[in-house]
Amino acid sequence: MAKKHTARSLQRAADRGERLVGVTAYTHPMARFAEEAGIDLILVGDSVGMVELGYPDTLPVTMDEMIHHCRAVRRGAPQTFVVGDMPFMSYQVSDEEAVRNAGRFVKEGGCDAVKVEWCASAPQRVRAITEAGMLVMGHVGFTPQRTAQLGGYRVQGRGDARRHVVEQALALQEAGAFCILIEMATPETGRAVTEAVDVFTVGVGAGDHPHMQLVVMNDLLGLFREFKPRYVKRYAELADVITDALKRYAEDVRERRFPSEENFYE
Ligand code: KIV
């Protein structure tokens, strides 16, 4: 098995021009599959709220829910670099709350790093968490926890707005972020951020310039069908496979084909 990545080895790989691969994962089996597939980084995203917990958006997700999922992921992928996503209101209020909650991700969730979405106080929070000795991934571009302020689910960085996204990325880097994630932004924005910062970048629908590509697991496997962002490429249609298997099982039970002799104990 390949050696577990550190923030340093990820940065070195990016500096060598290697393409890095990330996915989200929320459960033990999916984390295991990701590790078996040689994925470089797993993000336990607060997207868990939408794709696993049935919430309409990410805002209701709690710290306890995040820790529960991080623990499952860590058990499934002990050799993979895992980032825990700080949920809405776990870092916005004060440096103290941010540090305490980041500490829970590391201490209880077994995470290697945490992720913080851009907001006006984000650089200060990133600095506080970094000064407490933890690694922070900064998140710019579309930041779902601020969907209301952004005017909805919208691509970021068009025209003049690109400069703001770059400035946010630079502010997070300056505050100590070890890498910058850019979500749902124009390819020009993905490129501008990647060229502006020294740390490696992670693209989630931000073109092909970022050093790492990261996709929500349930999107790429066809498990979440409520909507499909344009940047997602489906590599499987697991929702169809699962529904079909369950239909065949139900039919077998109703038609008395299951259980049969081969399933009986001696
Ligand atoms: O919650 C999440 O999965 C995320 C990624 C989409 C970047 O923040």
Side-chain angles (χ1 to χ4, degrees), residues 24 26 43 45-47 85 115 117 139 181 183 204 214 216:
T24 68
Y26 320 97
L43 170 68
D46 62 356
S47 50
D85 202 2
K115 175 168 81 60
E117 289 188 13
H139 180 159
L181 181 146
E183 179 171 354
V204 183
L214 186 144
V216 169

Side-chain angles (χ1 to χ4, degrees), residues 125-145:
R125 303 293 182 258
V126 169
R127 191 175 298 284
I129 298 169
T130 307
E131 282 176 0
M134 292 171 273
L135 290 165
V136 188
M137 171 188 276
H139 180 159
V140 298
F142 179 67
T143 43
Q145 293 174 17

Side-chain angles (χ1 to χ4, degrees), residues 21-27 30-31 34 39 41-48 51-52 73 83 85 115 181 204 213-221 231:
V21 190
V23 284
T24 68
Y26 320 97
T27 63
M30 291 301 182
I39 297 294
L41 178 150
I42 294 176
L43 170 68
V44 186
D46 62 356
S47 50
V48 68
V51 303
E52 296 281 352
V73 165
V83 180
D85 202 2
K115 175 168 81 60
L181 181 146
V204 183
Q213 291 294 323
L214 186 144
V215 177
V216 169
M217 174 85 89
N218 299 42
D219 285 337
L220 87 86
L221 296 182
Y231 70 82

Side-chain angles (χ1 to χ4, degrees), residues 78-125:
Q79 290 301 317
T80 305
F81 193 91
V82 172
V83 180
D85 202 2
M86 296 196 70
F88 184 53
M89 283 300 126
S90 68
Y91 59 93
Q92 284 88 346
V93 175
S94 67
D95 284 358
E96 203 174 299
E97 277 191 30
V99 172
R100 187 166 295 121
N101 284 322
R104 286 193 66 194
F105 274 98
V106 174
K107 235 172 130 86
E108 299 173 39
C111 292
D112 298 292
V114 296
K115 175 168 81 60
V116 165
E117 289 188 13
W118 174 264
C119 59
S121 57
Q124 197 180 320
R125 303 293 182 258

